[in-house]
Amino acid sequence: MNDADDPLSRLPAPDVAPRSRLLPSLIWLVPLVAALVGLVLIVQTYAGRGPTITIRFESAEGLEAGKTEVRFKNVVIGRVSTIELSEDREQVLVSVDLSKDASSVAVEDTRFWVVRPRADLGGVSGLNTLLSGAYVGVDVGRSDKQQLHFTGLEIPPAVTNDQQGTRFTLTREDLGSLNIGSPIYFRSVPVGRVVGFDLDENGEGVTLQAFIDAPYDRFVTRRTRFWNASGVNVNLDANGLKLNTQSLVTLLAGGLAFQSLPGGKEAPEPATENSTFRVYDDQATALAPADRIAMTVKMRFFQSMRGLSRGAIVDFKGVELGAVTDTELEYDPGQKRFASTVTATVYPGRLGRAYEQLRAREGGEDPAPEVLFQRMIDRGLRAQLRNGNLITGQLYVALDFMPKAPRVISNPDIRPLEIPTEAGSFDQLQAQIADIVTKIDSIPFGEIGGNLRDTLKSAEQVMRQIDTEVAPELRRTLAETRAAVEAANSSLAAPDAPLQQDLRLMMEQVDRAARSLRNLSDTLQRNPQSLLRGKPETPDEEQ
Amino acid sequence: MSAVTARSLKIIGCHACGMVCQHVDTDPHGVRCPRCGSSLHRRRPNSLMLSWALLIAAAVLYLPANLLPIMKTSTFFDGRSDTILSGVIVLWEEGAWDLALIVFVASVMVPLLKIGVLASLLISVQLRLQRGQAERTRLYRMIERIGHWSMLDIFVVALLVALVNFQSYAQVGAGPGAAAFGGVVILTMLSAMCFDPRLIWDVSDPAMQHARPHERR
């Protein structure tokens, strides 16, 4: 190739200048940095992850995978990652990714529950979840043992582990209006709540778990009495109407109250955890002195038990001595009639000072209450059913002394003690009324009615006879009478009536006769001899 | 197919001013254009190495880009963070399958495709394959063109972050995945830029037959 001919050979040569050589291999720093950054990012994200736990719930209502948070004291410590059905399809398994710093949450006695909006009479909770959706609440346990599988609670626990206080066991006949969360008051201050309840093994009662917050739990002593504060206590006394209720909430949602019995010399010693207390029906019963001595008595009544319910009070001169526990109908073959046996529990201690005095009278050794009551029966103590309420017909058992009551001889060793009965005042009244009614009943109203009806019938017959037979006759008679009167009238009253003429004539004749008689008498007066001698010579003057 | 190239004519062109001068086989690092002073090189210097390095960096970042949330949404009701794929899934489940498809293609497929194509180009050059050179060049042109489209996700996040900012009511923030994803896109673009497509053809140049790829300049 000729350089002169070749235009390319005439091209200028490039400048050759040495320059700083930047190490091209430094470019490998880029992937290195990228790897580092990626690693840091991933580590940052995944290092914050704590353990993954699973919780069993009855339902996944309100829960959303990837969205629902797990909160402890309203701090998010984890998030629900997946929700799936359990193998038996009875429950849901909720997997939760806990954050790194919350790994200590996954211990044995930690409890989980779903916080949803809840509105009950005790208050409204979880209202914020209305907008934000449900979240999983946590009560962190105190155990050190790690656990990754939990069973969630269906209702939020009334007491969380971080609350200070004491638990007590309460027994009751029924739950009433109480529920988990029902408040417990001490002198009207809410100091605790019911945290659980359970039926007794035999189903004859309810055991309640109560939690009293610290520091109020020290007020629960061995002398403490619990009572049901639900409902309203209405007192009508000389001071007027008194309405007593712990709070409006207990009125609606139920609640308990407690107080210690007054007195006692020893310093009240706080009750130990899980001590058992009985729940009384009301404050008066709870704080009543000494129900320690209970006595079962029997009474037989020969009247209807209608209106006498279990729990009806046994009253002695206005003191509520006890309550009816049972009524039973029995047949008395001896008297061939039915009798009702009423069993009641009586607390003689409620007689108070009277009881002490009675006991003192009995002498040195402590007499059984039955003995005391037997003495009273001998002195005329009788049981009577009385009307507590005339409108509803509720009955109560009244114990009273009836000096006129016939003496009853009974075996004083029979237990339970039987208190003789007397028909109640109302019963006597009832019997009298019944008597009157019987007498009224014995009047032969039917017969009287029949007779009356017969009489009426014959009267009616007579009347009809009068109407049909007598009346026309009478009318005719009347007409005839009238005619007769008219005839008489015409024959007597008319001036030209013959009778009148005759009468006038007769009158004239009588007049004449009378004149002649006068003349005669005059003549005779003047000439009395004329009777013998006859007429004088001058008779003319008299004519 | 054999072609006349600048190398076979022993000339070299300036990339900056277009002046052509003679090629001298001296120290290539010191050669400068006599007119404008730019450094002269026949092929991009260290093209393969740079390309490889950037590509590997992009591939490394691709993992966090897809695993980490790119967007954190917190509203009055709840807060959530979305990765690219979870966003696609949410879109798909809500019935916006067209949008889901676009996001999936732009944000998952395209970066992956780019990384794959660039890697195959680099490997084919290093293995000095002679077949399909025209196709490979076409592929290269394509990935260079679509490169910036995969920034779609980043654009969306950037827009939302700026628009949705109502303090406690609703707030959108970029997650760590967004940074990684942006890194992937930028690194693949740079890698594609560093790659010299002429290397694909150099294997057909008889003058370059026996030269080691990194020696060819």
Side-chain angles (χ1 to χ4, degrees):
Chain A
M1 206 188 287
N2 192 347
D3 274 6
D5 296 338
D6 189 1
L8 291 177
S9 58
R10 290 200 300 272
L11 285 175
D15 292 344
V16 176
R19 66 167 185 188
S20 61
R21 268 182 66 153
L22 220 128
L23 274 174
S25 46
L26 272 182
I27 195 67
W28 288 106
L29 282 178
V30 174
L32 213 72
V33 167
L36 225 88
V37 167
L39 213 71
V40 165
L41 284 178
I42 288 181
V43 163
Q44 247 181 13
T45 308
Y46 288 91
R49 288 205 179 168
T52 299
I53 56 168
T54 51
I55 314 168
R56 280 174 180 267
F57 284 113
E58 289 299 319
S59 128
E61 186 197 336
L63 300 181
E64 261 183 274
K67 209 166 168 186
T68 306
E69 292 161 346
V70 179
R71 297 189 199 172
F72 176 59
K73 291 184 189 287
N74 240 340
V75 174
V76 179
I77 58 164
R79 200 176 282 270
V80 171
S81 56
T82 58
I83 299 171
E84 48 199 19
L85 279 175
S86 64
E87 310 80 45
D88 54 2
R89 279 171 281 177
E90 296 276 309
Q91 289 172 311
V92 287
L93 297 175
V94 176
S95 298
V96 172
D97 293 332
L98 289 177
S99 55
K100 180 82 178 163
D101 50 350
S103 48
S104 62
V105 165
V107 288
E108 209 173 32
D109 54 347
T110 297
R111 293 177 292 175
F112 296 88
W113 66 95
V114 181
V115 180
R116 302 185 176 104
R118 287 169 68 89
D120 49 30
L121 291 166
V124 178
S125 65
L127 207 59
N128 53 336
T129 59
L130 268 182
L131 295 174
S132 65
Y135 64 88
V136 178
V138 187
D139 178 28
V140 178
R142 290 170 182 165
S143 166
D144 296 328
K145 214 170 154 196
Q146 205 182 9
Q147 186 177 324
L148 291 178
H149 300 279
F150 298 91
T151 303
L153 305 176
E154 290 311 306
I155 41 172
V159 179
T160 49
N161 279 330
D162 51 349
Q163 276 174 303
Q164 302 288 318
T166 314
R167 280 167 190 271
F168 296 106
T169 308
L170 306 178
T171 57
R172 253 201 112 184
E173 272 177 27
D174 58 16
L175 189 62
S177 55
L178 295 173
N179 206 337
I180 287 174
S182 291
I184 298 174
Y185 293 88
F186 176 65
R187 300 192 185 278
S188 293
V189 177
V191 294
R193 61 215 145 275
V194 175
V195 296
F197 58 83
D198 217 344
L199 272 176
D200 289 349
E201 279 295 305
N202 52 13
E204 280 180 1
V206 178
T207 305
L208 298 155
Q209 302 294 325
F211 185 85
I212 309 292
D213 294 325
Y216 309 109
D217 50 354
R218 67 188 153 94
F219 296 124
V220 181
T221 64
R222 296 179 61 183
R223 295 178 63 83
T224 291
R225 297 287 175 87
F226 283 83
W227 70 88
N228 184 13
S230 318
V232 190
N233 215 341
V234 180
N235 278 337
L236 184 64
D237 54 16
N239 294 329
L241 188 72
K242 212 154 85 185
L243 195 115
N244 203 0
T245 175
Q246 289 290 331
S247 82
L248 205 60
V249 173
T250 56
L251 188 64
L252 299 168
L256 295 172
F258 70 87
Q259 202 174 314
S260 288
L261 287 175
K265 283 153 197 101
E266 82 276 19
E269 174 192 333
T272 50
E273 178 125 24
N274 285 325
S275 307
T276 304
F277 292 91
R278 193 185 137 198
V279 179
Y280 292 86
D281 282 339
D282 52 42
Q283 185 173 9
T285 326
L287 297 181
D291 279 355
R292 281 169 293 137
I293 312 159
M295 180 178 77
T296 307
V297 293
K298 264 188 165 181
M299 291 155 281
R300 299 176 87 206
F301 292 99
F302 296 98
Q303 63 190 87
S304 165
M305 289 294 109
R306 187 169 187 83
L308 187 78
S309 50
R310 275 186 68 182
I313 60 171
V314 177
D315 173 281
F316 176 72
K317 293 193 182 293
V319 177
E320 208 182 304
L321 264 195
V324 171
T325 52
D326 194 23
T327 63
E328 207 173 5
L329 198 62
E330 277 175 9
Y331 182 68
D332 186 343
Q335 301 193 38
K336 291 202 168 122
R337 58 176 177 171
F338 288 96
S340 299
T341 302
V342 174
T343 314
T345 306
V346 170
Y347 304 100
R350 291 192 191 174
L351 286 172
R353 279 176 67 92
Y355 184 62
E356 302 300 327
Q357 284 160 352
L358 280 172
R359 271 170 42 167
R361 254 188 63 173
E362 280 303 317
E365 80 273 31
D366 214 3
E370 278 88 352
V371 177
L372 291 177
F373 269 75
Q374 189 62 50
R375 293 270 185 288
M376 287 159 82
I377 290 165
D378 293 345
R379 255 170 254 136
L381 184 78
R382 295 291 180 271
Q384 207 173 36
L385 285 183
R386 286 186 191 164
N387 255 78
N389 189 329
L390 276 176
I391 299 165
T392 57
Q394 292 295 311
L395 297 177
Y396 70 95
V397 178
L399 298 182
D400 216 338
F401 285 105
M402 302 193 184
K404 288 179 196 162
R407 206 175 153 72
V408 178
I409 296 125
S410 63
N411 186 354
D413 296 330
I414 287 179
R415 297 286 178 270
L417 185 74
E418 184 169 340
I419 300 178
T421 63
E422 184 86 346
S425 52
F426 195 70
D427 283 308
Q428 286 169 347
L429 187 68
Q430 230 170 7
Q432 281 167 3
I433 291 171
D435 208 30
I436 295 167
V437 168
T438 322
K439 275 173 187 158
I440 293 172
D441 228 23
S442 61
I443 299 171
F445 284 110
E447 212 172 303
I448 293 170
N451 289 350
L452 200 64
R453 195 168 56 238
D454 286 352
T455 313
L456 281 173
K457 204 179 281 169
S458 50
E460 195 192 342
Q461 229 162 19
V462 172
M463 287 310 282
R464 198 178 301 134
Q465 222 168 354
I466 289 169
D467 218 30
T468 54
E469 293 168 26
V470 180
E473 209 53 29
L474 205 62
R475 200 156 44 232
R476 210 173 313 132
T477 313
L478 278 173
E480 278 167 17
T481 311
R482 190 161 61 229
V485 170
E486 267 166 19
N489 224 1
S490 62
S491 58
L492 293 174
D496 53 346
L499 191 66
Q500 222 159 359
Q501 282 180 343
D502 290 353
L503 210 60
R504 208 180 298 134
L505 268 173
M506 192 179 78
M507 289 305 278
E508 276 170 15
Q509 283 169 357
V510 170
D511 190 38
R512 243 177 306 172
R515 213 179 300 146
S516 334
L517 211 61
R518 199 166 61 223
N519 286 343
L520 178 68
S521 68
D522 281 347
T523 313
L524 280 176
Q525 223 168 6
R526 268 177 283 148
N527 307 313
Q529 69 276 14
S530 60
L531 270 172
L532 300 168
R533 288 177 201 155
K535 216 172 164 183
E537 269 86 67
T538 57
D540 308 328
E541 341 172 13
E542 266 151 79
Q543 282 180 4
Chain B
M1 168 193 145
S2 175
V4 177
T5 62
R7 175 183 288 272
S8 61
L9 295 176
K10 289 191 186 294
I11 53 171
I12 190 166
C14 174
H15 285 279
C17 64
M19 184 175 174
V20 179
C21 35
Q22 277 181 344
H23 183 234
V24 266
D25 267 331
T26 53
D27 182 10
H29 292 292
V31 180
R32 287 180 176 278
C33 171
R35 187 163 68 160
C36 69
S38 307
S39 77
L40 294 177
H41 49 260
R42 210 176 263 135
R43 301 285 179 263
R44 280 177 202 152
N46 300 316
S47 162
L48 278 182
M49 185 174 73
L50 285 173
S51 205
W52 265 123
L54 292 168
L55 188 66
I56 288 168
V60 164
L61 280 183
Y62 187 77
L63 271 173
N66 276 286
L67 289 177
L68 298 181
I70 62 159
M71 190 164 75
K72 282 179 174 165
T73 330
S74 61
T75 64
F76 191 57
F77 311 115
D78 70 305
R80 61 175 296 158
S81 48
D82 276 309
T83 61
I84 294 171
L85 267 176
S86 80
V88 170
I89 288 165
V90 165
L91 281 173
W92 186 273
E93 279 175 348
E94 282 174 5
W97 58 270
D98 40 0
L99 275 178
L101 215 67
I102 288 174
V103 173
F104 181 73
V105 168
S107 303
V108 183
M109 291 274 288
V110 167
L112 204 64
L113 216 73
K114 269 170 74 176
I115 291 170
V117 168
L118 272 172
S120 68
L121 287 179
L122 287 167
I123 290 165
S124 72
V125 166
Q126 284 200 309
L127 293 180
R128 309 170 60 82
L129 292 180
Q130 298 203 22
R131 281 180 299 148
Q133 286 159 321
E135 288 78 11
R136 276 188 272 150
T137 315
R138 205 174 303 135
L139 264 180
Y140 174 75
R141 279 205 307 273
M142 195 184 77
I143 59 159
E144 243 205 332
R145 205 165 300 144
I146 63 172
H148 43 268
W149 284 108
S150 42
M151 278 300 222
L152 191 75
D153 261 25
I154 302 299
F155 293 150
V156 169
V157 172
L159 267 176
L160 282 179
V161 167
L163 285 175
V164 185
N165 188 0
F166 307 113
Q167 300 304 325
S168 58
Y169 300 107
Q171 216 163 9
V172 173
F181 187 79
V184 171
V185 176
I186 289 167
L187 286 172
T188 49
M189 281 167 76
L190 287 175
S191 173
M193 240 170 69
C194 288
F195 180 72
D196 200 330
R198 285 173 292 189
L199 294 173
I200 297 169
W201 298 95
D202 278 351
V203 287
S204 318
D205 191 348
M208 299 294 293
Q209 282 297 338
H210 304 291
R212 303 289 311 149
H214 60 268
E215 288 161 358
R216 284 173 279 151
R217 296 198 174 101

